[in-house]
Amino acid sequence: MPRTARDVVFVDGVRTPFGKAGPKGLYAQTRADDMVVRAIRELMRRNPSLPPERVDEVAVAATTQIGDQGLTIGRSAAVLAGLPKSVPGFAVDRMCAGAMTAVTTTGAGIAFGSYDVAIAGGVEHMGRHPMGEGVDPNPRFLADKLVDPSALVMGSTAENLHDRFPGITKERADAYAVRSQRKVAEAYAAGRIQPDLVPTAVRSAEQGWGLATEDEPPRPGTTKESLAALKTPFRVHGNVTAGNAAGLNDGATACLLAAEDVARELGLAPRMRLVDFAFAGVEPEVMGVGPVPATEKLLARNALTMDDIGLIEINEAFAVQVLAFLEHFKIADDDARVNPWGGAIALGHPLASSGVRLMNQLSRLFEERTDVRFGLTTMCVGMGMGGTVLWENANWEGAK
């Protein structure tokens, strides 16, 4: 029997505070699966009108799917979170766009009618599982010259992007990074970021048990002068530093998606509608430019231009990657539509979890900006990809 696509809505999203990876980071002694379980439990607690048995799928992303990020983490996290054993789950890997792909995959299932309600998210414990742990790249990548050797080092791909866009100087990248830090500090001061955060138990050998209630990575006192003095580890006299790039981080995210009619039935208030999504491939050695073709594909398919987009949440893996996107679409570096509350340069980028952080922030912005109809969440992806999701504000005043 032919099926009619259903409207898919983003109902709610949460995340753990993000921590710095490493032996002194917030989550040094916390398991990755426990982090995402904490997010799922909080999501269910905040939405008491949702019967747990109505969850049809749990999709959780992780880039390094071994150890406490393995064992089909979507299913294992669902069981650990106390969802009924009848609720299935699966794992996703699209590197940085893992959580984004968890959302688009389950969202497509909802639109098709296979699910009514789904939980999607991601986790990355980069302290326990460093980027690239256990990988064995096929030697043909280099032997057959399928990719440039720099494609396997994310910082080097960012330096390559500086080469491709010579107008994006280190000074311009540093200025963008300072703005990101400032915007996050201002958003924290205004209480805008805290509602998404799930207080998470942590433990350290020095201080014993504690509670993580805010992000660890932000450096609110950052200045262009302090960034100018940092080393460029990926190239002598290069442009990419620890100050104009996201750090190595730990954290988990989760969000609740539903068919719009089911959400209304269950008393769940939609924040935004999933309109469409697109992924695209680019040369792996300049993976940071990936959001450009993904966004172009998406806008063209929906007969929109960038002028129709009122808010843009773009992942700040590197400042140069964001600036290349803005330059391509002729958007000013300080355009008010772009990451109004700051981004990953300040907040952190626990790889596979970050896509839902972007969605959480966009949904909160939509609540404040009922004059805005459309928004984007977009990000570059390792090995040469980009992903973009188009959202419609469920509270857009023009629909009334």
Side-chain angles (χ1 to χ4, degrees):
M1 179 179 294
R3 300 190 185 196
T4 302
R6 300 187 297 175
D7 286 335
V8 181
V9 294
F10 180 104
V11 173
D12 197 6
V14 298
R15 66 179 179 90
T16 65
F18 289 170
K20 295 179 181 179
K24 295 183 178 180
L26 273 176
Y27 301 113
Q29 296 189 35
T30 303
R31 289 179 60 96
D33 48 11
D34 284 338
M35 293 163 64
V36 74
V37 164
R38 181 73 186 95
I40 293 171
R41 285 178 171 170
E42 178 66 9
L43 201 57
M44 297 302 294
R45 187 192 70 80
R46 293 189 186 193
N47 296 277
S49 67
L50 172 63
E53 64 272 12
R54 290 297 299 272
V55 177
D56 295 309
E57 189 71 272
V58 177
V60 176
T63 302
T64 306
Q65 295 189 10
I66 60 176
D68 55 353
Q69 293 183 178
L71 197 62
T72 315
I73 192 165
R75 170 60 173 174
S76 58
V79 172
L80 289 165
L83 294 177
K85 301 296 194 303
S86 58
V87 177
F90 64 97
V92 178
D93 179 14
R94 200 197 295 260
M95 300 184 80
C96 303
M100 176 179 281
T101 304
V103 167
T104 57
T105 301
T106 53
I110 292 169
F112 187 69
S114 299
Y115 309 136
D116 283 339
V117 179
I119 291 174
V123 63
E124 208 72 55
H125 199 310
M126 300 178 77
R128 282 178 178 264
H129 307 293
M131 193 185 308
E133 179 189 17
V135 301
D136 180 18
N138 194 302
R140 290 200 305 108
F141 278 124
L142 302 183
D144 294 355
K145 298 185 178 179
L146 299 175
V147 301
D148 185 88
S150 61
L152 303 179
V153 181
M154 296 300 99
S156 296
T157 69
E159 289 285 7
N160 293 343
L161 207 53
H162 273 284
D163 296 339
R164 180 166 291 196
F165 292 85
I168 303 177
T169 62
K170 181 178 182 296
E171 291 72 24
R172 189 173 159 193
D174 285 349
Y176 181 88
V178 169
R179 281 194 298 274
S180 182
Q181 294 282 356
R182 186 190 71 242
K183 288 190 284 188
V184 164
E186 291 172 350
Y188 254 105
R192 285 171 160 148
I193 290 176
Q194 293 90 325
D196 288 341
L197 303 182
V198 182
T200 303
V202 295
R203 186 180 184 280
S204 70
E206 296 80 15
Q207 298 180 358
W209 287 99
L211 197 64
T213 59
E214 61 182 33
D215 296 301
E216 185 178 24
R219 300 180 297 276
T222 300
T223 64
K224 286 189 284 187
E225 291 73 24
S226 64
L227 294 188
L230 295 178
K231 296 179 180 179
T232 58
F234 303 105
R235 183 184 294 180
V236 176
H237 304 303
N239 299 286
V240 179
T241 71
N244 60 32
L248 304 179
N249 306 106
D250 308 327
T253 59
C255 71
L256 183 61
L257 305 170
E260 186 160 14
D261 59 339
V262 174
R264 304 289 186 193
E265 170 203 336
L266 295 174
L268 302 171
R271 292 195 206 166
M272 56 188 186
R273 294 183 188 87
L274 174 59
V275 180
D276 198 0
F277 60 90
F279 293 92
V282 297
E283 301 100 313
E285 55 268 25
V286 286
M287 66 94 194
V289 81
V292 169
T295 302
E296 287 182 322
K297 183 191 298 188
L298 190 61
L299 293 177
R301 193 162 61 213
N302 289 276
L304 297 172
T305 71
M306 196 57 80
D307 291 339
D308 297 306
I309 306 302
L311 290 165
I312 302 167
E313 283 291 325
I314 180 169
N315 193 46
E316 298 172 352
F318 302 94
V320 63
Q321 159 254 315
V322 178
L323 294 170
F325 177 90
L326 300 182
E327 191 161 296
H328 177 85
F329 287 105
K330 297 180 172 54
I331 299 172
D333 292 3
D334 59 353
D335 192 299
R337 294 176 294 171
V338 181
N339 293 3
W341 297 346
I345 287 174
L347 292 169
H349 174 31
L351 300 183
S353 68
S354 287
V356 166
R357 181 193 66 78
L358 300 175
M359 296 169 193
N360 289 349
Q361 286 195 199
L362 178 62
S363 72
R364 295 285 184 187
L365 283 158
F366 273 158
E367 289 180 326
E368 289 194 10
R369 295 290 308 278
T370 58
D371 60 309
V372 172
R373 183 178 183 183
F374 293 117
L376 296 177
T377 54
T378 186
M379 61 200 315
C380 61
V381 189
M383 286 303 292
M385 292 181 284
T388 305
V389 186
L390 174 64
W391 300 92
E392 182 180 33
N393 190 347
N395 299 300
W396 176 52
E397 61 192 29
K400 298 175 182 177

